[in-house]
Amino acid sequence: MSKIISFYCAVISLFLLASSCNRANKATESSTNSQSSTGTATKDTIKANLAANDKNTKLLEDGTVMFVTNSIVENLTNSRQNSRFLTLIEKSGLYKTLAQKGPFTVFVPSNEAFEKLDKKKLDKLTTDSGKSELEKILKYNMIAGLLKTRDLTAGESLSTLEGDPLVVIIENGKIKLMDGNGNMVDITTPDILNKNGVTHLTNALLMPKGLNLN
């Protein structure tokens, strides 16, 4: 009889021990998840505070922080809403150029802007046969030197790295750019400072005269 009692006691002890371990594991898992979530939130808060307290740092609508201490390429790498433009930069020979000292002024279209373009024509630009045309288009969205919006005047002609000009249009206080085909492009987020220049986010890709991706 004593052996049976001892056996049941042992079983009960094991059950209680297992239950205790299970609760401890759940508590540890919950704590780890909480710490991970808190860590992410803390980093986001720090970035937001930096952006709010530094007039040279820009906080984008998607939560991306564009630091003035980063190069143009580094800030574009961190930006979720401009990844398609960065991909084209990487496919071309201009990736290293924008990592240099500069300064440069770059008009950067959003991912949504590329949705308006012909996919087959866009894909062709990333092939070997389309590389020269890709570089020409990208250079048309770049200017040597640092130009903030306050430096732009209505009717001004801007010389691009590609060679063809852009024309500055100001309507109701809003700055637009007219490309080589007469298309009007809005500057949606101006004056993002980088350590090697300035970027202006736009709602369309600027195209040199004679080229069309629609």
Side-chain angles (χ1 to χ4, degrees):
M1 184 68 176
S2 59
K3 290 182 178 181
I4 294 175
I5 293 173
S6 298
F7 172 75
Y8 279 114
C9 287
V11 170
I12 292 171
S13 296
L14 288 173
F15 175 77
L16 292 174
L17 179 61
S19 298
S20 176
C21 289
N22 188 43
R23 287 194 297 271
N25 289 336
K26 286 183 177 180
T28 301
E29 182 180 350
S30 176
S31 176
T32 301
N33 291 337
S34 177
Q35 288 175 5
S36 176
S37 176
T38 301
T40 301
T42 300
K43 289 179 181 179
D44 290 342
T45 300
I46 290 173
K47 288 182 177 181
N49 287 339
L50 285 171
N53 294 320
D54 184 354
K55 64 181 180 179
N56 293 321
T57 296
K58 186 82 74 173
L59 179 65
L60 304 185
E61 290 182 1
D62 66 357
T64 302
V65 181
M66 309 290 258
F67 291 102
V68 69
T69 52
N70 286 346
S71 69
I72 292 173
V73 166
E74 288 171 332
N75 273 331
L76 287 180
T77 300
N78 293 331
S79 175
R80 294 184 292 274
Q81 66 189 51
N82 303 110
S83 57
R84 298 190 71 173
F85 183 75
L86 178 64
T87 297
L88 294 183
I89 294 292
E90 291 172 337
K91 293 287 184 180
S92 73
L94 299 173
Y95 186 84
K96 292 182 179 179
T97 300
L98 290 183
Q100 294 174 4
K101 186 176 181 180
F104 304 99
T105 297
V106 185
F107 300 103
V108 182
S110 64
N111 288 344
E112 288 76 12
F114 287 94
E115 298 297 331
K116 307 172 187 176
L117 305 179
D118 185 282
K119 188 177 185 304
K120 289 184 178 179
K121 291 182 179 180
L122 199 58
D123 289 342
K124 186 179 179 181
L125 292 179
T126 62
T127 64
D128 290 338
S129 61
K131 187 175 181 180
S132 60
E133 189 171 291
L134 173 61
E135 288 190 17
K136 184 173 183 176
I137 292 172
L138 292 177
K139 284 183 177 180
Y140 190 67
N141 288 261
M142 302 175 187
I143 294 173
L146 192 150
L147 284 177
K148 297 181 181 180
T149 50
R150 70 186 184 195
D151 302 319
L152 304 177
T153 57
E156 181 181 6
S157 180
L158 305 177
S159 181
T160 66
L161 291 183
E162 185 272 337
D164 290 343
L166 295 168
V167 178
V168 179
I169 306 294
I170 300 179
E171 295 181 348
N172 300 320
K174 293 184 178 181
I175 298 178
K176 302 174 183 289
L177 299 168
M178 184 170 68
D179 68 12
N181 298 303
N183 298 315
M184 305 292 282
V185 174
D186 296 334
I187 294 179
T188 55
T189 305
D191 303 328
I192 300 174
L193 296 181
N194 312 264
K195 69 179 180 182
N196 63 337
V198 61
T199 53
H200 306 281
L201 305 190
T202 64
N203 67 342
L205 183 66
L206 294 159
M207 298 294 294
K209 188 175 182 178
L211 288 179
N212 192 337
L213 294 179
N214 294 320

